[in-house]
Amino acid sequence: MISAWTGRQIRAAEQPLLDAGHGDRLMATAAHGLANAVLRAVRETRGRVYGARLAVIAGSGNNGGDALFAAATLARKGMSTTAVLTSARSHPQALAAFEKAGGTVLRLAAGGDGAGAGADDSAAAAAGPFVTPDEAAALCSRADALIDGILGTGASGGLRSPAKELVERIIGLDAPALTVACDLPSGVSAETGEVSGPVMPADLTVTFGGTKAGLLTDPAAGLAGRVLTVDIGLGPHLPAPELRRLEPADLADWWPVPQRTSHKYTRGVLGIVAGSAQYPGAALLCTQAAAATGVGMIRYLGPQEICRLVNLSTPEAVCSQGSVGESRVQAWLVGPGATGDRDQQARVRDALASGLPVVADAGALDSLPSDLGPQVILTPHAGELVRILAEQDVEVTREQVEAAPSDFARLGAGLTGATVLLKGATTVISSPSGALFTQDNATPWLAAAGSGDTLAGILGALAATVQRDLLAEAGIAEPDHWAAVAAMAAAVHGIAGTEAAAGGPVAASDISRAVPETVRALLELRQDG
Ligand SMILES: NC(=O)C1=CN([C@@H]2O[C@H](COP(=O)(O)OP(=O)(O)OC[C@H]3O[C@@H](n4cnc5c(N)ncnc54)[C@H](O)[C@@H]3O)[C@@H](O)[C@H]2O)[C@@H](O)CC1
Ligand SMILES: [K+]
């Protein structure tokens, strides 16, 4: 499991070490980790380190300090190194180390259009000639490696002039062979992943002390590239993480594997209320996905015509037009395609009132009761979350949700009392307690009709079969159990979908077909064999 913290949490964890006078050591460790990561990446992209052109953009704070110290190390390895300082102030010891190692220092002229105008001449005399944003951008674009050390966890808001103009110009040119963000891409929020203004997309982000929550959340996640975390000894000082991400080993350890004495009822029965005359396909897709994920039995409830179709596509399912009250199940999946049908809507309502775990998708999201519990898992996309929030008197747009998905998933969970799984390039899951998980296992090819029905089926099957004690033993607190189960489903859906897509288009039913093999491969990672 990957744990991540807000910038504020990381800074608070640093404080006791800073108070004890270990600031220099922290920065040296961070810079050493950054330099090593750049060395490895340059070897991979270019082969030879000696003679490679390194450009560093350094801001006024400690983030610029990390970048300059790392660049000093890289200059000593034979890289031809230039630093562009975006402010008249810079970390004095780091700048001195950089110059001593033979690095060239340039100062970014103040102001976008009036290059050079209003610049601080005394600072210029101290530390090298001015360059315009255009000149600096051309230099950065030609580099074999570029380190973005403008802003770190001390940033407030997006980049300001003249760094803003420089980054805009670099984005307009060919990207450098390798861009490495120091701690985080400058201009993204370490707390929420929100982005303000231009941000240089990184191939690699080397982050210090602990992964920043913002780096694992959209939209920043799409700009951070691969994230590498450098340990600087904050471990004992870190609080409970802000956000977690499941890895394959977690899925393997938590997967509900039947025991020798298991039978269909002890494994778990899933009830499904899905489909209508208008949308029969959704019922077929989610039932197929649940069967492929592995469940003791599926009880499907719906109109006679859809029962016939479900029986044909998933003969394992027991289909009827019965009621929720007379169906014995461990969990419900309700809503896919269940719109415009009174009987189906009544079943959805009854399932939501049953107190059992319920996955509420699509049609079930339109008329939610007021007091839900964490065992109810809502699976909206951004537009559906906007409507759920509107029911709670929160007026937001789809664009606002997409700009800060973790904030709004958390708000939705807090207001409804349910667990919220918000679909997106990175899926965000929030427990009503505020605990967050994000999963980025999916391929963009999965953004297609029917993919959500498949996710709902996988999640329904897991909700019916998962063993609570396995998650509790791994440190998942009781109120966050269902958020972790939803994260498992998002991960398996993403992995199976990526396998099925194999770099090309994928039909929703192919995702289900890939699930058993995905689970088999995961189970091979189990520590107990
Ligand atoms: N605190 C520590 O002990 C450690 C900090 N480290 C590094 O230090 C960074 C944090 O350093 P700082 O607190 O100095 O903060 P930053 O380096 O993020 O920069 C803050 C400076 O930038 C200016 N600034 C803020 N917002 C701006 C904006 N939107 N546009 C332009 N300028 C802006 C501020 O005036 C301030 O001087 C971390 O990200 C990390 O890279 C690491 O060296 C590890 C140890
Ligand atoms: K940075």
Side-chain angles (χ1 to χ4, degrees), residues 11 14 18 26-27 30 60-64 66 89 151-160 182-183 208 232:
R11 290 169 79 85
E14 282 166 356
L18 297 181
L26 290 183
M27 189 174 267
S60 61
N62 289 330
N63 192 256
D66 291 337
R89 281 182 297 131
L151 289 175
T153 55
S156 54
L159 292 169
R160 291 198 286 266
C182 172
D183 209 16
F208 312 121
I232 59 169

Side-chain angles (χ1 to χ4, degrees), residues 57 63-64 67 147-153 180-187 205:
I57 313 179
N63 192 256
I147 299 179
D148 165 8
I150 310 172
L151 289 175
T153 55
V180 181
C182 172
D183 209 16
L184 40 110
S186 303
T205 295

